[in-house]
């Protein structure tokens, strides 16, 4: 169950990063408010997952999901560049996440 909470926390991190971008430096009230609510929810789920997952694993996976997810949203929704170097970097992050999951932790 901890992995499910962690995965959901990572998805919420992607969502709050998107809304933070849309808030235009917290000058747009609705996206700014959504950002804050999603941040709190993401941190809460991360905290729950850390009850049974090691800190290093949980935090690495959470930030990795957020980083790669935000990268993909940037490309798919915001029209950001998908250069070979950026794609390779994202692949390295995904590799790290998989290695953490397979490292034998619960």
């Amino acid at each position: 169950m901890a992995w499910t909470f962690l995965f959901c926390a990572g998805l919420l991190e992607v969502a709050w990063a998107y809304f933070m971008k849309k808030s235009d430096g917290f000058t747009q009230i609705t996206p700014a408010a959504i950002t804050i609510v999603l941040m709190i929810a993401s941190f809460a789920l991360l905290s729950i997952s850390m009850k049974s997952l090691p800190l290093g694993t949980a935090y690495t996976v959470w930030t990795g999901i957020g980083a790669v997810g935000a990268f993909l949203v940037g490309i798919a929704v915001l029209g950001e560049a998908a250069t070979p170097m950026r794609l390779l970097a994202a692949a390295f992050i995904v590799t790290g996440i998989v290695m953490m999951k397979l490292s034998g932790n619960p």
Side-chain angles (χ1 to χ4, degrees):
M1 199 65 189
W3 283 102
T4 301
F5 287 129
L6 183 59
F7 181 73
C8 290
L11 293 179
L12 288 174
E13 184 182 7
V14 175
W16 69 249
Y18 171 76
F19 281 101
M20 182 183 286
K21 175 75 172 171
K22 298 305 276 184
S23 78
D24 195 28
F26 282 90
T27 60
Q28 303 297 314
I29 282 293
T30 301
I34 293 170
T35 299
I36 292 167
V37 169
L38 292 174
M39 281 179 166
I40 292 168
S42 179
F43 288 134
L45 290 175
L46 174 62
S47 175
I48 292 167
S49 74
M50 284 183 171
K51 288 181 179 180
S52 58
L53 295 175
L55 166 69
T57 300
Y59 187 75
T60 301
V61 171
W62 178 70
T63 58
I65 292 169
V68 173
F71 168 71
L72 294 173
V73 167
I75 290 169
V77 178
L78 302 174
E80 296 175 359
T83 65
M85 187 67 77
R86 292 183 80 209
L87 292 170
L88 181 61
F92 283 143
I93 293 169
V94 171
T95 301
I97 292 169
V98 170
M99 290 175 69
M100 280 292 195
K101 173 67 173 113
L102 298 176
S103 68
N105 291 317

